[in-house]
Amino acid sequence: MTTSLIDTALSRADEIAELAEFIAEEYGSNGRVEPLSIARRKNITHSFGYYKNAFDGMLEYYEKRFHIYCNLSRVERHDSPRARFTLAHELGHYFIDEHRNALQSGFAPAHLSVCEYESDNLVEREADWFASNLLMPRSHFLQLAKDFSLGMQGILALQRHFQTSVTSTALRYAQMGLVPCLVMKWDFQRGLIWKFTSDDKFISQFPSPLSATRALPENSPTLWALMNAKPPQQGFFATKVRAGVWFPALNNPALRDAACIEQAMRLGQFGVLTFLYFVD
């Protein structure tokens, strides 16, 4: 499966991004926002509870009030990066007019949200896109990213600054076009769950990457992470590989020999994230 940050028309994506960044400027400070603070200022109540694997979050409209549920079984802590993203996602359902109006009118009942680009539902993708732009405003993200190392080391530095999840930060990083790259999410049994490719002409020349766990070479950082090996002190596995290893269908010899950096880290119960980028 291939995923995009948002698979709607560009104008729609821009509209949601602009809305989210306006909210970030209105309620945040130096590019940092606190979703619960925004919720309180909008009189949106919230509660954390354990709901097994049913959902990450849910926005409910009941008796003329909005309420956010956040599932500790999946977000783990009240203040975890995934909890922050989930809360920002539910705020997306509130601030995006069409989402809020559908709830208020009863046209759409409260639905169970699975965040961080794990859903194919258009409404969910829009809320994820809102959350990404709310928590990581473009101008602040780019300004900081240019001061950090390329790849996962820089992504983790940005993740710490914005207090966001590794997955959402890596996707934001790729979307910004800082380097030709792929972000991939893996599960040991199912293999490649989704991928996102940065938007540039160079990387558009490459076909689909490996997608089966059994196809990964023995020295692959992705395989090491999937096997739950102990990572280096930096928190992720990394190696330099030829593009042909990851894109076996490539016919162009020059592209097959292109140098890539493969970096991978385990995300606990949420599988493995791979960041693959090209170097000169």
Side-chain angles (χ1 to χ4, degrees):
M1 172 182 137
T2 300
T3 189
S4 171
L5 290 178
I6 189 167
D7 291 329
T8 57
L10 182 60
S11 58
R12 176 65 171 172
D14 288 344
E15 177 185 316
I16 292 172
E18 186 175 312
L19 171 64
E21 297 211 10
F22 173 80
I23 300 300
E25 289 294 326
E26 182 77 10
Y27 295 100
S29 176
N30 296 321
R32 294 277 291 274
V33 300
E34 295 298 334
L36 281 181
S37 176
I38 297 174
R40 293 187 192 102
R41 290 175 67 175
K42 301 303 292 185
N43 296 316
I44 302 171
T45 54
H46 69 275
S47 57
F48 290 88
Y50 292 91
Y51 307 103
K52 297 186 178 179
N53 209 38
F55 60 89
D56 287 345
M58 180 173 70
L59 179 67
E60 180 182 65
Y61 183 71
Y62 181 69
E63 294 186 347
K64 298 183 178 181
R65 298 199 66 171
F66 285 95
H67 183 87
I68 294 174
Y69 293 90
C70 196
N71 184 6
L72 289 172
S73 299
R74 282 180 59 85
V75 306
E76 297 176 346
R77 304 188 322 273
H78 297 72
D79 59 347
S80 71
R82 191 175 179 95
R84 283 170 49 80
F85 192 91
T86 297
L87 292 165
H89 173 106
E90 300 308 326
L91 287 175
H93 289 315
Y94 174 83
F95 281 107
I96 297 172
D97 289 340
E98 295 86 349
H99 298 200
R100 183 184 65 256
N101 292 339
L103 282 170
Q104 285 182 308
S105 68
F107 176 77
H111 63 276
L112 308 179
S113 294
V114 179
C115 304
E116 292 205 317
Y117 312 98
E118 294 182 19
S119 173
D120 286 331
N121 184 287
L122 175 61
V123 170
E124 293 300 283
R125 289 201 302 268
E126 289 188 346
D128 276 342
W129 181 236
F130 176 94
S132 181
N133 283 275
L134 178 72
L135 295 174
M136 297 171 281
R138 180 180 179 85
S139 59
H140 295 285
F141 193 96
L142 282 174
Q143 183 178 355
L144 284 170
K146 292 173 182 176
D147 294 332
F148 296 140
S149 301
L150 281 178
M152 192 66 82
Q153 187 173 343
I155 289 168
L156 292 178
L158 289 161
Q159 178 254 329
R160 289 189 291 269
H161 176 84
F162 289 105
Q163 296 179 34
T164 46
S165 70
V166 177
T167 299
S168 61
T169 310
L171 284 166
R172 189 68 166 149
Y173 193 94
Q175 185 269 335
M176 293 291 184
L178 291 159
V179 64
C181 64
L182 280 83
V183 181
M184 294 173 276
K185 186 77 168 288
W186 291 80
D187 174 84
F188 187 82
Q189 298 297 331
R190 293 180 290 165
L192 180 62
I193 304 301
W194 55 252
K195 67 180 177 70
F196 174 77
T197 306
S198 61
D199 184 20
D200 58 71
K201 290 182 178 179
F202 175 74
I203 209 164
S204 67
Q205 302 174 86
F206 292 83
S208 295
L210 297 173
S211 60
T213 305
R214 65 180 181 277
L216 295 169
E218 291 184 3
N219 63 343
S220 166
T222 301
L223 183 61
W224 296 337
L226 284 166
M227 296 292 290
N228 211 19
K230 184 179 179 180
Q233 188 174 3
Q234 62 190 1
F236 58 90
F237 300 100
T239 193
K240 189 174 183 179
V241 297
R242 291 171 51 252
V245 172
W246 268 97
F247 304 93
L250 269 175
N251 293 319
N252 185 315
L255 292 180
R256 288 185 64 84
D257 287 335
C260 308
I261 303 295
E262 177 192 348
Q263 301 172 321
M265 68 181 298
R266 186 150 191 91
L267 303 173
Q269 64 175 306
F270 301 108
V272 165
L273 189 78
T274 299
F275 189 78
L276 186 74
Y277 69 97
F278 292 84
V279 292
D280 295 332

